[in-house]
Amino acid sequence: MATITEKILAAHSGRAFVSPGDFANVSVDMVLANDITGPLAIREFRKLGVTRVFNPARVVMVPDHFIPNKDIPSAIQAQDIREFAREQGIVYFEAGRSGIEHVLLPEEGLVGPGHVVIGADSHTCTYGALGAFATGMGSTDIAAAMATGDIWMKVPPTIKLVFHGSLQPWTSGKDLILHAIGDIGIDGALYSAMEFHGEAIQFMDMDGRFTMANMAIEAGAKAGVFEVDATTEEYLATHPQRAGTAPCRRYFTDSNADYSRIIEYDASTIEPVVAFPHLPSNVRPASTAGDVVIDQVVIGSCTNGRLSDLRIAAQILRGRSVHESLRCIIIPGSQRVYRQAVDEGLVHVFLDAGAVVSTPTCGPCLGGYMGILAPGERCLSTTNRNFVGRMGSPQSEVYLSSPAVAAATAIAGRISPPGNTYGESREEISW
Amino acid sequence: MVVLRGKAHLYGADVDTDAIIPARYLNVSEPALLAEHCMEDIDPGFRERVSEGDVIVATTNFGCGSSREHAPIAIKACGVSCIIAHSFARIFFRNAINIGLPLLECPEAVSGCTDGDILEIDLIEGKVTNATRALSFTAKPYPQFMMGIVNAGGLIAYTKRRLEEIEA
């Protein structure tokens, strides 16, 4: 009778069951903040009059947005969370042993199936890929949860999205989620949980699922949720849960669960897509983009900064050059991804092609640093938002795509679908 | 409770958190510093026009995008007393309530409103009066559960009370 979301929230609020619309006080298994939202959360936490967080093994702070520090104020913010982490003994990752929070936490075994995770970052919904209920909140919510170990929630209705069929060679999880956002709109899943099913999902690797869950927020959703399967189990076996984290539990939606809406797609017809400025829902096939000259390509972020994203980019860039009128910035999502990209020779491919390769950071995605746009410039990016001014000047433009479209575009100098440009299929080239 | 009163600043759909406070200014979190850049990229004149008590009026999905609490903080620090919209993005809604910036969902009040209209808002009654047009509307009431937070003056005061009760 219940969805994964309802089962997890019931289990965490001491009830037999919960229904959409119910208010519940939910115990949390992991509480997260970063170098932008952490300082505010700490300030509010201090006002509560408590001296210790509820459980230091279940509070994590990750410096990632302006890290390594871009200026003095951002250095002070990083200092705030570093000092708080030392004082409280919470989980903390210093630059050089860190990464973008939503790439890092699953790698480090800090989040797992059946967990309730709240983070002061809207892309906290990423962990739904592992069968967790994970959602973004603000700093004050995180402050309260750091003190009490629980937080109020309104139980969301669940929308089921089914992707039938198998994917075209260059179509990825990014294309599926952008396609869905283009279909339902950026408030199409407002206050709801999105639950992903179908053959295309069953055969998708974890990195693709992280990408899809990550962008649930771009449809207004509270969470993006996947069922645990053999692919998830394999990931969990190679990324064991860290000591002190909550036990994992696998939940599955009942066959007669009550969805607020069921949306079905034929995934085999979905081409690589691009979201045009200035909304993630402004989606069209990359093959119909027309002649859009691009000044900068960014490959990375919590959405698409994982190893398989870099592998796809390297596959296309190998032996080719970044177009002379364009900058291509590639940012591994974590130190672990960075090292693997070095070990596999991907970084050599990028350097040979004439790309910038950076240490992990959120940097350009939010217009922080490391790739800010001038007025009139256009950037095609594997990130998650293309609002006005998102990556720099309010007179600049951001286009969103998969790593494959981004790499093909970096070579062509204009928006380009990978298949059309090179006539290769992904299967023909193996790693 | 004092009735809120101010002039309306009208916006459309999907006003995102990058528009409310661009991330390039998030290397600080002091309210006054954030307020200096509120709405800068989509409405550069906002800071000049806004005065204490004013009301932001928008259509759907106000505050979509990031979880940055800096967004409602910047709006509040500009002197805005309330936001009225068709609907709000989820995290923005929580953040605003948590820091004590009142929000009302009232599509009728939005559609009958022009930029600069004088609005009066009674939060207890959930009543929005457009004084310029002599029209009154009733907003969607807060859920009972949330009234506890609203009445306490925000989540920190609410949680502090909860913690004291647990100890006692």
Side-chain angles (χ1 to χ4, degrees):
Chain A
M1 287 272 298
T3 65
I4 298 172
T5 294
E6 288 153 15
K7 289 182 182 183
I8 295 176
L9 294 182
H12 284 74
S13 57
R15 302 193 202 179
F17 62 90
V18 293
S19 301
D22 287 355
F23 284 88
N25 226 41
V26 178
S27 62
V28 293
D29 299 312
M30 191 58 68
V31 181
L32 162 73
N34 58 49
D35 55 312
I36 288 182
T37 59
L40 257 181
I42 294 164
R43 195 193 299 169
E44 297 304 309
F45 176 83
R46 303 275 192 218
K47 291 180 189 168
L48 287 169
V50 290
T51 52
R52 312 302 303 175
V53 300
F54 79 104
N55 181 341
R58 298 185 187 180
V59 177
V60 55
M61 296 224 177
V62 182
D64 59 359
H65 278 63
F66 299 145
I67 302 296
N69 307 132
K70 68 166 183 141
D71 54 17
I72 296 168
S74 74
I76 294 170
Q77 289 186 318
Q79 192 177 44
D80 279 355
I81 65 170
R82 183 183 301 118
E83 287 176 357
F84 184 77
R86 282 189 190 138
E87 170 197 307
Q88 296 287 328
I90 60 170
V91 187
Y92 174 78
F93 296 91
E94 192 54 272
R97 300 188 176 96
S98 187
I100 299 172
E101 49 196 330
H102 309 308
V103 178
L104 189 71
L105 263 56
E107 278 182 353
E108 295 292 331
L110 286 162
V111 289
H115 287 181
V116 169
V117 185
I118 62 168
D121 189 279
S122 60
H123 294 107
T124 300
C125 52
T126 307
Y127 316 127
L130 289 170
F133 183 83
T135 190
M137 292 187 180
S139 297
T140 298
D141 276 318
I142 264 44
M146 284 200 299
T148 63
D150 62 17
I151 196 73
W152 71 270
M153 284 193 201
K154 190 175 168 185
V155 178
T158 301
I159 299 173
K160 181 182 191 180
L161 293 101
V162 189
F163 292 91
H164 298 287
S166 51
L167 297 184
Q168 294 179 17
W170 293 105
T171 299
S172 66
K174 182 64 165 285
D175 301 295
L176 298 193
I177 191 67
L178 282 174
H179 180 85
I181 295 164
D183 179 42
I184 66 176
I186 69 162
D187 59 354
L190 195 60
Y191 290 92
S192 301
M194 296 167 91
E195 199 181 282
F196 299 100
H197 291 271
E199 194 188 334
I201 303 298
Q202 286 163 25
F203 290 100
M204 185 177 288
D205 63 12
M206 277 315 300
D207 286 359
R209 297 180 193 184
F210 283 126
T211 301
M212 291 187 71
N214 174 276
M215 287 194 72
I217 179 69
E218 262 54 72
K222 184 167 190 162
V225 186
F226 289 72
E227 283 188 337
V228 173
D229 64 7
T231 305
T232 330
E233 296 292 0
E234 195 188 326
Y235 183 91
L236 293 166
T238 50
H239 301 82
Q241 291 288 295
R242 198 179 169 105
T245 55
C248 295
R249 207 176 145 187
R250 283 82 173 144
Y251 294 93
F252 299 92
T253 292
D254 295 324
S255 56
N256 57 351
D258 211 3
Y259 291 106
S260 61
R261 192 178 168 193
I262 298 174
I263 307 170
E264 300 188 65
Y265 299 105
D266 179 357
S268 68
T269 64
I270 299 174
E271 293 179 36
V273 296
V274 173
F276 274 55
H278 291 287
L279 287 176
S281 56
N282 198 7
V283 172
R284 53 181 101 159
S287 62
T288 66
D291 190 27
V292 184
V293 174
I294 297 292
D295 302 292
Q296 177 173 293
V297 164
V298 171
I299 299 174
S301 81
C302 63
T303 311
N304 279 120
R306 297 182 182 81
L307 190 63
S308 42
D309 299 314
L310 300 190
R311 283 178 178 163
I312 288 167
Q315 185 178 322
I316 292 170
L317 285 165
R318 179 178 290 275
R320 300 192 173 92
S321 290
V322 169
H323 195 274
E324 60 185 9
S325 66
L326 176 150
R327 297 96 63 185
C328 179
I329 302 169
I330 301 178
I331 307 178
S334 71
Q335 210 69 16
R336 196 184 296 208
V337 171
Y338 198 171
R339 177 177 290 278
Q340 284 172 307
V342 171
D343 290 348
E344 290 187 13
L346 310 185
V347 170
H348 274 279
V349 172
F350 300 146
L351 295 176
D352 288 345
V356 173
V357 183
S358 154
T359 189
T361 180
C362 306
C365 169
L366 74 161
Y369 75 129
M370 281 292 295
I372 302 301
L373 301 174
E377 286 196 321
R378 292 197 188 108
C379 179
L380 182 126
S381 179
T382 69
T383 53
N384 42 56
R385 291 188 179 131
N386 56 352
F387 301 139
V388 172
R390 173 72 180 178
M391 294 179 76
S393 163
Q395 285 85 43
S396 63
E397 291 182 348
V398 179
Y399 298 72
L400 305 175
S401 80
S402 69
V405 174
T409 298
I411 296 162
R414 55 201 68 223
I415 294 179
S416 178
N420 289 6
T421 314
Y422 306 108
E424 305 160 344
S425 78
R426 264 170 75 179
E427 279 78 9
E428 286 166 16
I429 307 172
S430 61
W431 278 90
Chain B
M1 184 186 278
V2 185
V3 172
L4 309 172
R5 189 172 199 277
K7 61 180 187 298
H9 298 263
L10 217 56
Y11 294 94
D14 306 320
V15 174
D16 61 83
T17 52
D18 285 294
I20 297 168
I21 179 74
R24 59 183 177 275
Y25 301 121
L26 299 186
N27 53 2
V28 295
S29 57
E30 287 74 15
L33 297 178
L34 296 170
E36 285 173 20
H37 304 289
C38 190
M39 299 290 186
E40 181 175 288
D41 286 357
I42 59 160
D43 185 4
F46 175 73
R47 283 290 293 132
E48 291 299 309
R49 295 196 317 277
V50 70
S51 41
E52 196 66 30
D54 282 1
V55 179
I56 286 178
V57 177
T59 61
T60 54
N61 203 27
F62 188 90
C64 63
S66 115
S67 69
R68 64 189 71 156
E69 204 162 291
H70 311 66
I73 290 173
I75 290 173
K76 193 180 178 195
C78 286
V80 169
S81 66
C82 182
I83 308 174
I84 303 171
H86 287 202
S87 63
F88 293 92
R90 186 187 66 82
I91 305 175
F92 184 88
F93 191 91
R94 289 186 78 106
N95 286 345
I97 297 298
N98 285 347
I99 66 156
L101 172 66
L103 308 180
L104 291 175
E105 286 184 0
C106 187
E108 299 79 11
V110 175
S111 39
C113 184
T114 316
D115 213 43
D117 281 3
I118 299 298
L119 303 181
E120 292 171 356
I121 298 147
D122 182 334
L123 285 177
I124 299 288
E125 301 289 327
K127 205 172 127 192
V128 180
T129 303
N130 187 323
T132 308
R133 288 161 203 286
L135 293 169
S136 279
F137 310 93
T138 306
K140 191 172 143 188
Y142 290 124
Q144 187 77 36
F145 184 94
M146 275 178 79
M147 279 310 292
I149 298 169
V150 174
N151 288 339
L155 186 68
I156 292 300
Y158 175 85
T159 307
K160 205 169 173 181
R161 196 174 300 167
R162 248 189 86 203
L163 288 166
E164 283 161 5
E165 280 167 16
I166 293 167
E167 241 164 70

